[in-house]
Amino acid sequence: MKKPEHIIILGAGLVGSLLAVYLLKRGYRVTLYERRPDMRKVQIPAGRSINLALSDRGWRALEGVKLAEDIRRIGIPMKGRMIHPQQDEIYFQPYGKEGQAIYAVSRGILNCTLLDLAEKAGAEIIFNQRCSSVDLANNTAKFLHSDTNQASEAKADLIFGADGAYSAARLQLQFTDRYNYSQTYLEHGYKELMFVANADGTHQFEKHALHIWPRGGYMLIALPNLDGTFTVTLFFPFKGNPSFEMLDSKQKVKSFFSEIFPDAVPLLPTLEEDFFQNPTGSLVTVRSFPWSFDNKLVLIGDAAHAIVPFYGQGMNCGFEDCTVLNQLLDEYDDEWEQVIPAYEQHRKPAADGIAELAVNNFYEMRDLVGHPDFILRKKIEAWFSEKHPDKWIPLYTMVTFSHIPYHEALKRGKQQDAIMDEVMKQPDIEKNWQSEKVEQRILSMLN
Amino acid sequence: MKKPEHIIILGAGLVGSLLAVYLLKRGYRVTLYERRPDMRKVQIPAGRSINLALSDRGWRALEGVKLAEDIRRIGIPMKGRMIHPQQDEIYFQPYGKEGQAIYAVSRGILNCTLLDLAEKAGAEIIFNQRCSSVDLANNTAKFLHSDTNQASEAKADLIFGADGAYSAARLQLQFTDRYNYSQTYLEHGYKELMFVANADGTHQFEKHALHIWPRGGYMLIALPNLDGTFTVTLFFPFKGNPSFEMLDSKQKVKSFFSEIFPDAVPLLPTLEEDFFQNPTGSLVTVRSFPWSFDNKLVLIGDAAHAIVPFYGQGMNCGFEDCTVLNQLLDEYDDEWEQVIPAYEQHRKPAADGIAELAVNNFYEMRDLVGHPDFILRKKIEAWFSEKHPDKWIPLYTMVTFSHIPYHEALKRGKQQDAIMDEVMKQPDIEKNWQSEKVEQRILSMLN
């Protein structure tokens, strides 16, 4: 394979734009093709973002091309979860140690910023081009103009599919021999709403927290925006009781929210209108393999491994794809026929790991976070981890504030969970957890 | 939904043809559309059948429309496995009790027979029509003629997708909202070969057995045909050592077979030619859900749930779909809007169960069947089951010689396996397995 000179990236979303910057800095000529119009020039339809939470893996990828400072200006640190029980007082659970935080970022603002930075780095970006198919034998992507339906095509030495969960590039691979593929939907969907700001533009709830209303089978969450609003998301069953299907009138929506999320309702002045105007999104996990074809087409980000949003890792994982790819390009001196298989071998188990973690975290967020047992577990873990940071890192910290491969975090998390199950069975654990006996018990199980 | 008058079935394979007979007997008008030419009139390409093994579930489905007698004439009972070790003497393992057998049937002959029977029952069968898409909103299937590519379409009150593992009907569903789908390939493929008959048309190996050459990571199997030949299948890794990739010359094929399957080689006079002429098949498991759209399109057989062939249940499972569907039509008096969801609810867990069992049985066949521990386990199970037939049915018997739902068999099989793991740990079990102590031990674990 001769060294590629011109690379096409399908999709100018978050991962596609960042990948473009990485490849441009390595000296490749890069053209991005994007299905949608230029979002810097048109209004983005409301209600489809699921606000993003940038954490350490994402930051490292941005730092790799010196973009972190630009992005940090548009982020809001969230230091923990603010839990809103249905009856009791709200309370705070820190995500990690002092100084650790995840950053709420608006998807739209972040994407616009990355498009600017990609263009500044030399990318050509062509909008309104929907990829209709990829001619794998001839390295050629085929497009239809999103408005006029006019056909066109483009050939390159290498094509990246960064075109998201419903990737056209991946669909092409799906028809090749022995392609492993799955798409799995949760029985829950999501609906986006908006908390209004105070009159002076400040936030009506604590700004430096991710707010959760855990309600067992479902939950409401809220992430702060720069303008004092919060982006609010209801994760809710499509069918059953309660469900989207049941809330079929404005009156039912109002009375449901008033009963279940009482402190949220005053911040949702247009609740009933928004509820029926905004779309109901679905939540899919996509697994695929291989992520490449004949060193001509490579999948990256959601196109390779879309996950559900409950660990806040979708974008972070896609950004980490870029970091790892770049490291491998360094390591193999841009010999793509070595880089591509190594990239797949590195990232496939990681992607499978975070896919599992993300689904698991839904149960934690919507249910467990509100239970006294869960809170005690987290306390014991934090206490022990502080005493033995070399022996124990809480799972959330491994995923969010470390670069431990996701599958390794998943495995260690399961081992730690089994140990905590034992610890929680100790008599009077809620009283004597800060004891040497408990410490020794954990140490003995770790060996 | 008004009662359908005209039903289209996509695919005139085994399940499509049998389903047609069932629906015709209930008074529906049925048209079958088949991608291939009429196999009763043209030569079928060699090397793609994986011989079939009809067992109790399949027989019941055939009996339901009084076809069992016609089919029994073209089947050969196989009473057990004949194991061919690499070094030692061959030996026999019965599948079940005296009188129990599975039946080797040629896919081609069975399909031709079912096509005849479907036509006799009143089906219209249109060949050379490849379904290109289904217009779900308008109950309309679209076709391209396999030779001329001429487009046509057909509308019906209800469309069945019986179009196999690479179903066009299912692909259409895959683009509907929240469709769960997976295709998973084994890292093994298969190659079909043929054992020649004796000069007098008799079989060169025992006729009433399924022959297995278990070799750990791979295996050879052989099923008898009516004409004295055996259809032989090598299940073998695509890559690695050994693998299809490695056997890249006639000389390597010959010396590999001579070393690994010495007693098979004399029956394979055209081994080297056939090995390179016949295609290498791949082995896929397909999971999908739902199996229907808006009571207009329903999937059945491999189109809904393709499985790997190692339990010999692919066709039997598809035929059982027909039995269950027919029972539900009886139960709900042909009210399809009740029948279709009930069919999906009944069959989805069963299909998932046999998919898992089929993959598991590959390990058993290619590896475990040759081990003394395995043989002892089977003996103990058979002995205990004979004493307590109400308490214990060996897994193979549940799957093959019963109508216990597959997922129930899987669950009970796992429980029994855990018990047998314990039993096998007893000291000197190989000597004292036929003891009251062992019997009591199993009984106590069952409670």
Side-chain angles (χ1 to χ4, degrees):
Chain A
M1 178 186 182
K2 85 172 188 12
K3 194 175 157 179
E5 186 259 326
H6 178 212
I7 297 175
I8 283 176
I9 301 174
L10 303 174
L14 301 169
V15 173
S17 308
L18 179 63
L19 174 65
V21 178
Y22 266 99
L23 294 174
L24 288 158
K25 298 228 166 180
R26 300 191 77 87
Y28 297 101
R29 182 159 74 84
V30 176
T31 310
L32 284 151
Y33 286 84
E34 169 58 43
R35 180 172 56 83
R36 287 164 298 191
D38 188 342
M39 59 164 65
R40 293 166 299 184
K41 296 177 188 160
V42 300
Q43 183 75 27
I44 308 160
R48 297 230 71 143
S49 78
I50 307 192
N51 257 38
L52 300 166
L54 251 169
S55 54
D56 286 28
R57 293 169 206 264
W59 287 118
R60 174 185 279 187
L62 293 169
E63 283 157 7
V65 279
K66 311 223 172 351
L67 301 183
E69 280 318 300
D70 287 314
I71 305 301
R72 208 171 293 269
R73 263 179 254 128
I74 58 171
I76 300 172
M78 301 183 290
K79 298 170 184 173
R81 298 163 169 161
M82 190 70 81
I83 312 290
H84 298 245
Q86 197 169 342
Q87 311 290 345
D88 301 324
E89 290 294 297
I90 67 171
Y91 59 93
F92 183 75
Q93 285 175 3
Y95 277 133
K97 292 180 289 193
E98 189 59 39
Q100 287 181 322
I102 60 177
Y103 288 74
V105 184
S106 144
R107 172 188 288 270
I109 296 174
L110 178 58
N111 209 338
C112 290
T113 306
L114 286 171
L115 286 172
D116 283 343
L117 295 169
E119 268 181 351
K120 219 169 92 183
E124 182 187 14
I125 312 179
I126 302 175
F127 293 96
N128 291 306
Q129 294 291 339
R130 185 170 70 76
C131 177
S132 54
S133 66
V134 179
D135 178 348
L136 294 170
N138 297 303
N139 299 37
T140 300
K142 306 202 172 185
F143 302 97
L144 294 173
H145 191 284
S146 304
D147 296 332
T148 66
N149 238 13
Q150 200 189 323
S152 63
E153 56 180 60
K155 194 176 161 88
D157 303 310
L158 181 61
I159 300 173
F160 271 94
D163 49 346
Y166 299 97
S167 168
R170 190 189 62 232
L171 184 63
Q172 202 69 58
L173 291 182
Q174 205 181 302
F175 297 114
T176 60
D177 189 32
R178 288 193 289 138
Y179 198 74
N180 290 298
Y181 174 71
S182 79
Q183 55 185 47
T184 313
Y185 286 85
L186 293 189
E187 295 184 358
H188 289 66
Y190 70 93
K191 178 80 77 180
E192 245 180 57
L193 302 165
M194 179 83 80
F195 283 166
V196 292
N198 287 312
D200 63 356
T202 57
H203 293 80
Q204 296 207 43
F205 283 135
E206 167 59 46
K207 173 186 177 181
H208 293 293
L210 189 154
H211 295 260
I212 310 185
W213 289 255
R215 294 296 183 268
Y218 55 94
M219 66 177 177
L220 192 74
I221 69 168
L223 281 79
N225 295 316
L226 291 170
D227 62 359
T229 64
F230 284 83
T231 300
V232 179
T233 311
L234 174 67
F235 294 98
F236 204 51
F238 279 103
K239 289 168 191 260
N241 180 6
S243 69
F244 283 117
E245 195 177 63
M246 278 188 58
L247 296 187
D248 58 358
S249 73
K250 289 187 175 182
Q251 210 260 306
K252 285 182 195 166
V253 169
K254 183 67 179 231
S255 76
F256 178 79
F257 270 72
S258 301
E259 183 193 342
I260 307 293
F261 311 115
D263 63 336
V265 171
L267 282 69
L268 294 164
T270 55
L271 166 64
E272 300 98 304
E273 291 72 30
D274 294 348
F275 194 90
F276 290 103
Q277 204 145 38
N278 292 350
T280 307
S282 52
L283 297 160
V284 70
T285 301
V286 171
R287 292 181 179 83
S288 67
F289 204 77
W291 291 353
S292 70
F293 184 85
D294 203 18
N295 294 331
K296 291 172 183 168
L297 175 66
V298 181
L299 302 181
I300 193 163
D302 284 0
H305 49 69
I307 61 176
V308 295
F310 304 108
Y311 231 116
Q313 288 295 315
M315 170 189 56
N316 290 288
C317 180
F319 280 11
E320 198 177 52
D321 288 347
C322 297
T323 306
V324 170
L325 183 70
N326 192 56
Q327 285 167 347
L328 292 167
L329 285 164
D330 284 343
E331 188 176 331
Y332 293 108
D333 204 17
D334 291 56
E335 293 288 347
W336 285 87
E337 60 273 73
Q338 292 176 279
V339 170
I340 293 168
Y343 157 78
E344 292 178 310
Q345 293 306 320
H346 269 75
R347 295 304 292 163
K348 173 61 175 166
D352 285 344
I354 190 61
E356 185 174 337
L357 285 162
V359 169
N360 294 348
N361 215 42
F362 185 29
Y363 303 105
E364 181 162 325
M365 287 178 79
R366 77 186 202 208
D367 193 2
L368 304 179
V369 289
H371 289 204
D373 266 13
F374 175 85
I375 297 162
L376 177 58
R377 275 177 93 111
K378 296 287 140 181
K379 271 195 209 160
I380 300 173
E381 279 199 70
W383 164 78
F384 183 84
S385 170
E386 196 162 336
K387 283 186 168 249
H388 300 282
D390 55 322
K391 292 199 164 63
W392 191 290
I393 308 172
L395 176 59
Y396 190 90
T397 300
M398 286 193 277
V399 171
T400 310
F401 303 122
S402 94
H403 303 284
I404 296 168
Y406 288 121
H407 51 298
E408 174 71 21
L410 173 65
K411 192 176 134 207
R412 286 169 65 176
K414 282 180 180 171
Q415 289 162 346
Q416 292 178 177
D417 247 10
I419 292 174
M420 287 307 300
D421 287 347
E422 282 307 305
V423 169
M424 293 297 290
K425 284 183 200 155
Q426 305 296 306
D428 293 325
I429 183 69
E430 67 284 2
K431 287 178 206 147
N432 56 24
W433 60 272
Q434 260 172 323
S435 65
E436 192 178 326
K437 198 178 144 216
V438 170
E439 185 182 347
Q440 290 304 326
R441 181 94 180 90
I442 299 177
L443 281 169
S444 74
M445 285 191 281
L446 275 171
N447 295 323
Chain B
M1 178 186 183
K2 86 174 190 3
K3 192 175 161 181
E5 186 259 325
H6 179 213
I7 297 176
I8 283 177
I9 301 174
L10 303 174
L14 301 169
V15 173
S17 307
L18 179 63
L19 175 66
V21 178
Y22 267 100
L23 295 173
L24 287 158
K25 298 227 166 179
R26 301 191 77 87
Y28 297 100
R29 182 158 75 85
V30 175
T31 311
L32 285 152
Y33 287 84
E34 169 58 43
R35 180 172 55 82
R36 289 165 296 192
D38 188 343
M39 57 164 67
R40 293 166 300 183
K41 295 176 190 162
V42 299
Q43 183 75 26
I44 307 160
R48 297 230 70 145
S49 77
I50 307 191
N51 257 36
L52 300 166
L54 252 170
S55 54
D56 285 30
R57 294 169 205 263
W59 287 118
R60 175 185 278 186
L62 293 169
E63 283 157 7
V65 281
K66 311 221 171 353
L67 301 183
E69 280 319 298
D70 287 313
I71 304 300
R72 208 173 292 269
R73 265 179 253 129
I74 57 170
I76 300 173
M78 301 182 290
K79 297 171 185 172
R81 298 164 169 161
M82 190 70 80
I83 312 290
H84 298 244
Q86 197 169 342
Q87 312 289 346
D88 301 324
E89 290 294 297
I90 68 170
Y91 58 94
F92 182 77
Q93 286 175 4
Y95 278 134
K97 290 180 290 193
E98 188 58 40
Q100 288 180 322
I102 60 177
Y103 288 73
V105 184
S106 143
R107 174 189 286 271
I109 297 173
L110 178 58
N111 208 338
C112 290
T113 307
L114 286 171
L115 287 171
D116 282 344
L117 295 168
E119 268 181 353
K120 219 169 92 182
E124 181 186 16
I125 313 180
I126 303 177
F127 293 96
N128 291 306
Q129 294 291 338
R130 185 171 69 76
C131 176
S132 54
S133 66
V134 179
D135 177 347
L136 294 169
N138 297 303
N139 298 35
T140 301
K142 306 199 172 186
F143 302 96
L144 293 174
H145 191 284
S146 303
D147 296 330
T148 65
N149 239 13
Q150 201 189 323
S152 64
E153 56 180 62
K155 195 177 160 86
D157 303 312
L158 181 61
I159 300 174
F160 271 94
D163 48 347
Y166 299 97
S167 167
R170 190 190 60 232
L171 184 63
Q172 202 69 58
L173 292 181
Q174 206 181 302
F175 298 114
T176 61
D177 191 32
R178 288 194 286 139
Y179 198 72
N180 290 299
Y181 174 71
S182 78
Q183 54 185 48
T184 313
Y185 286 85
L186 293 189
E187 296 183 358
H188 290 65
Y190 70 91
K191 177 81 74 179
E192 246 180 57
L193 302 166
M194 179 84 80
F195 283 165
V196 292
N198 287 313
D200 64 354
T202 57
H203 293 80
Q204 296 207 42
F205 283 135
E206 167 59 46
K207 174 184 177 181
H208 293 293
L210 188 154
H211 295 260
I212 309 186
W213 290 253
R215 294 295 183 267
Y218 54 94
M219 67 177 176
L220 193 74
I221 68 168
L223 280 81
N225 296 316
L226 292 171
D227 61 1
T229 64
F230 284 83
T231 299
V232 180
T233 311
L234 174 67
F235 294 98
F236 204 51
F238 279 102
K239 287 166 194 262
N241 180 4
S243 69
F244 283 116
E245 195 177 60
M246 278 187 57
L247 297 187
D248 58 359
S249 73
K250 289 186 175 181
Q251 211 261 304
K252 285 183 194 166
V253 169
K254 182 68 180 235
S255 75
F256 179 78
F257 269 73
S258 300
E259 183 193 343
I260 307 294
F261 310 116
D263 62 336
V265 170
L267 283 69
L268 294 164
T270 54
L271 166 64
E272 299 98 305
E273 290 71 30
D274 294 349
F275 194 90
F276 290 103
Q277 203 145 39
N278 292 349
T280 307
S282 52
L283 297 160
V284 69
T285 302
V286 171
R287 292 182 178 83
S288 68
F289 203 78
W291 291 352
S292 69
F293 183 85
D294 203 17
N295 294 330
K296 291 172 181 167
L297 175 66
V298 182
L299 302 182
I300 193 163
D302 285 359
H305 50 69
I307 61 175
V308 294
F310 304 108
Y311 231 117
Q313 288 295 314
M315 170 191 56
N316 290 289
C317 179
F319 280 11
E320 197 176 51
D321 288 347
C322 297
T323 307
V324 170
L325 183 71
N326 192 56
Q327 285 167 346
L328 292 167
L329 285 164
D330 283 344
E331 188 177 330
Y332 292 109
D333 205 15
D334 291 54
E335 294 288 347
W336 286 87
E337 60 272 73
Q338 292 176 281
V339 169
I340 294 168
Y343 158 78
E344 291 177 310
Q345 293 306 320
H346 269 75
R347 295 305 290 164
K348 173 62 176 165
D352 285 343
I354 191 60
E356 185 175 336
L357 286 162
V359 170
N360 294 348
N361 215 42
F362 185 28
Y363 304 105
E364 181 162 325
M365 286 178 80
R366 76 185 201 208
D367 194 2
L368 302 179
V369 289
H371 288 205
D373 266 14
F374 175 85
I375 297 162
L376 177 58
R377 274 177 95 112
K378 296 288 142 180
K379 272 195 209 159
I380 300 173
E381 279 198 69
W383 164 77
F384 184 84
S385 170
E386 197 164 333
K387 282 184 168 251
H388 301 282
D390 54 321
K391 291 199 165 62
W392 191 291
I393 309 173
L395 177 59
Y396 190 90
T397 301
M398 285 193 278
V399 171
T400 309
F401 304 121
S402 94
H403 303 285
I404 297 168
Y406 289 121
H407 51 298
E408 176 72 20
L410 173 65
K411 192 176 134 208
R412 286 168 65 176
K414 283 179 181 172
Q415 290 162 348
Q416 292 178 177
D417 247 9
I419 292 173
M420 287 307 300
D421 287 346
E422 283 307 307
V423 169
M424 293 297 289
K425 284 184 202 153
Q426 303 297 306
D428 293 324
I429 184 70
E430 67 285 1
K431 290 180 205 146
N432 57 24
W433 59 271
Q434 259 173 323
S435 65
E436 190 176 332
K437 197 178 147 217
V438 170
E439 184 182 347
Q440 289 305 324
R441 181 95 180 90
I442 298 176
L443 282 169
S444 74
M445 285 190 283
L446 274 171
N447 295 324

